[in-house]
């Protein structure tokens, strides 16, 4: 049997983490994930002043969108 490379091992572990979005966001919330304190006020202030706010997510767009919406920031 050929040896598994570090990259292959990481990929195998990553695949094991995949789950439906509702299940993933529920699990994150159970573990205490939330928007940082003060972020909602900061984001609203940016919007009111016409300042562009960019959120970098590299593959987590749907998860971030969930937390923004739950914080009343679905318009961002």
């Amino acid at each position: 049997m050929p040896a598994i490379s570090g990259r292959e091992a990481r990929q195998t572990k990553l695949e094991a983490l995949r789950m439906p979005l509702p299940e993933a966001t529920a699990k994150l919330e159970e573990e205490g994930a939330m928007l940082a304190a003060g972020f909602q006020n900061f984001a609203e202030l940016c919007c009111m002043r016409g300042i562009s706010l960019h959120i970098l997510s590299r593959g987590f767009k749907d998860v971030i969108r969930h937390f923004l919406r739950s914080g009343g920031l679905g318009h961002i």
Side-chain angles (χ1 to χ4, degrees), residues 20-35:
L21 181 62
E23 185 180 333
T25 54
K27 180 90 171 144
L28 287 167
E29 288 173 341
E30 287 171 15
E31 296 296 324
M34 64 179 82
L35 294 177

Side-chain angles (χ1 to χ4, degrees), residues 29-45:
E29 288 173 341
E30 287 171 15
E31 296 296 324
M34 64 179 82
L35 294 177
F39 180 77
Q40 290 161 295
N41 291 335
F42 169 76
E44 287 295 342
L45 187 60

Side-chain angles (χ1 to χ4, degrees), residues 28-72:
L28 287 167
E29 288 173 341
E30 287 171 15
E31 296 296 324
M34 64 179 82
L35 294 177
F39 180 77
Q40 290 161 295
N41 291 335
F42 169 76
E44 287 295 342
L45 187 60
C46 287
C47 286
M48 291 180 350
R49 294 187 177 181
I51 299 169
S52 295
L53 177 62
H54 300 273
I55 299 172
L56 306 178
S57 66
R58 181 143 174 118
F60 290 94
K61 181 178 181 177
D62 293 331
V63 174
I64 291 171
R65 183 179 292 138
H66 165 80
F67 284 100
L68 290 173
R69 287 179 178 159
S70 67

Side-chain angles (χ1 to χ4, degrees), residues 5-34:
S5 72
R7 180 179 180 168
E8 291 169 330
R10 284 191 304 274
Q11 185 65 32
T12 299
K13 288 179 182 179
L14 178 62
E15 292 296 326
L17 293 174
R18 295 189 192 277
M19 62 181 69
L21 181 62
E23 185 180 333
T25 54
K27 180 90 171 144
L28 287 167
E29 288 173 341
E30 287 171 15
E31 296 296 324
M34 64 179 82

